[in-house]
């Protein structure tokens, strides 16, 4: 199962989030260092594991002017996702061979893989736990992990590679804002391929967001 979703923040924002989360009685764990980065792990009200990772990666998102969080402390987007697997080998081989990831190292039993050079938003950490029971969906769980593809031709090319690996991807599903293909990687975690377009401006006025 997917066991944690992490988001990027500026290094100077970790203290702000410790205070803010504590103020709202969020269960916050002690700071950790993972692969050289400072991490603040915590759980949402339903027990879903989340984390904030301090990273110097360039800001690629646009701050939301109406947010109660100051622009300099807002989330910079997703950083990584963590998976527990019964066996590492099959998942690692699939990530590298079919999805184009690269093995970036291991630490404390976690094996990090990155796509397109790695970095925030392009990382997955996998831990092998052969004695752990099979995961079950429910409150506090992560339903699936979505991976971004540019458009339908790229999505279909990846889908073909997934099918050639002996897995069973769905047909392309129209999600109105984007198009999706779903499949289970060899360890059983549900993955999604999602296209960039058509985009959320299909039913929202982007000028309203730009003016805010």
């Amino acid at each position: 199962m997917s066991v944690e979703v992490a988001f990027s923040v500026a290094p100077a924002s970790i203290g702000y989030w410790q205070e803010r989360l504590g103020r709202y009685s969020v269960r916050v764990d002690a700071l950790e260092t993972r692969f050289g980065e400072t991490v603040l792990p915590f759980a949402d009200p339903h027990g879903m594991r989340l984390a904030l990772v301090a990273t110097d990666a360039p800001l690629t998102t646009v701050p939301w002017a109406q947010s109660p969080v100051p622009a300099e402390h807002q989330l910079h987007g997703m950083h990584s996702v963590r998976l527990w697997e019964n066996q590492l080998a099959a998942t690692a081989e699939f990530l590298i061979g079919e999805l184009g990831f690269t093995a970036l190292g291991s630490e404390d039993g976690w094996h990090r893989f990155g796509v397109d050079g790695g970095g925030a938003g392009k990382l997955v950490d996998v831990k092998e736990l052969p004695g752990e029971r099979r995961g079950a969906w429910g409150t506090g769980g992560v339903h699936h992990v979505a991976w971004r593809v540019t458009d339908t031709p790229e999505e279909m090319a990846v889908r073909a590679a997934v099918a050639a690996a002996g897995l069973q991807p769905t047909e392309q599903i129209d999600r109105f804002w984007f198009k999706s293909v779903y499949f289970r990687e060899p360890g059983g975690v549900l993955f999604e391929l999602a296209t960039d377009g058509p985009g959320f401006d299909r039913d929202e006025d982007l000028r309203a967001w730009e003016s805010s």
Side-chain angles (χ1 to χ4, degrees), residues 18 21 42 56 70 78 93 100 169 172 184 187 191:
Q18 284 180 301
L21 293 172
F42 62 100
D56 290 318
M78 297 188 69
E93 182 178 344
Q172 188 183 65
R184 292 188 182 278
F191 278 7

Side-chain angles (χ1 to χ4, degrees), residues 16-26:
Y16 168 87
W17 282 103
Q18 284 180 301
E19 188 279 329
R20 180 178 176 84
L21 293 172
R23 184 169 11 115
Y24 287 98
S25 301
V26 176

Side-chain angles (χ1 to χ4, degrees), residues 172-194:
Q172 188 183 65
I173 301 171
D174 191 342
R175 295 301 193 195
F176 185 72
W177 301 286
F178 51 90
K179 296 182 179 180
S180 299
V181 170
Y182 298 88
F183 60 93
R184 292 188 182 278
E185 54 83 31
V189 178
L190 185 61
F191 278 7
E192 175 190 8
L193 306 174

Side-chain angles (χ1 to χ4, degrees), residues 84-88 127-135:
W84 283 353
E85 299 280 7
N86 186 258
Q87 295 182 343
L88 171 67
K127 191 169 192 176
E128 183 178 69
L129 294 170
E132 186 62 54
R133 66 177 177 83
R134 187 175 180 83

Side-chain angles (χ1 to χ4, degrees), residues 4-22:
E4 184 190 82
V5 178
F7 299 89
S8 298
V9 295
S13 297
I14 290 292
Y16 168 87
W17 282 103
Q18 284 180 301
E19 188 279 329
R20 180 178 176 84
L21 293 172

Side-chain angles (χ1 to χ4, degrees), residues 36-48:
E37 296 176 313
T38 300
V39 180
L40 177 63
F42 62 100
D44 81 355
H46 299 290
M48 179 177 170

Side-chain angles (χ1 to χ4, degrees), residues 25-197:
S25 301
V26 176
R27 191 180 75 208
V28 178
D29 297 340
L31 291 177
E32 300 178 9
T33 300
R34 301 178 185 173
F35 297 97
E37 296 176 313
T38 300
V39 180
L40 177 63
F42 62 100
D44 81 355
H46 299 290
M48 179 177 170
R49 298 300 307 175
L50 303 168
L52 300 178
V53 183
T55 174
D56 290 318
L59 178 64
T60 58
T61 56
V62 178
W64 181 35
Q66 301 174 42
S67 173
V69 175
E72 66 270 22
H73 296 309
Q74 290 179 27
L75 306 188
H76 291 185
M78 297 188 69
H79 178 275
S80 56
V81 63
R82 294 195 134 189
L83 314 178
W84 283 353
E85 299 280 7
N86 186 258
Q87 295 182 343
L88 171 67
T91 294
E93 182 178 344
F94 174 76
L95 289 172
I96 295 170
E98 273 64 55
L99 296 190
F101 281 77
T102 301
L104 300 179
S106 60
E107 178 182 275
D108 297 328
W110 287 98
H111 302 265
R112 172 159 286 188
F113 300 87
V115 70
D116 193 25
K122 304 174 182 180
L123 300 170
V124 58
D125 294 341
V126 182
K127 191 169 192 176
E128 183 178 69
L129 294 170
E132 186 62 54
R133 66 177 177 83
R134 187 175 180 83
W137 290 340
T139 302
V142 180
H143 183 266
H144 66 276
V145 179
W147 299 105
R148 178 182 184 181
V149 292
T150 304
D151 50 24
T152 290
E154 183 177 17
E155 185 168 73
M156 291 298 97
V158 179
R159 183 189 182 279
V162 170
L167 304 180
Q168 297 180 330
T170 67
E171 297 300 321
Q172 188 183 65
I173 301 171
D174 191 342
R175 295 301 193 195
F176 185 72
W177 301 286
F178 51 90
K179 296 182 179 180
S180 299
V181 170
Y182 298 88
F183 60 93
R184 292 188 182 278
E185 54 83 31
V189 178
L190 185 61
F191 278 7
E192 175 190 8
L193 306 174
T195 61
D196 273 342

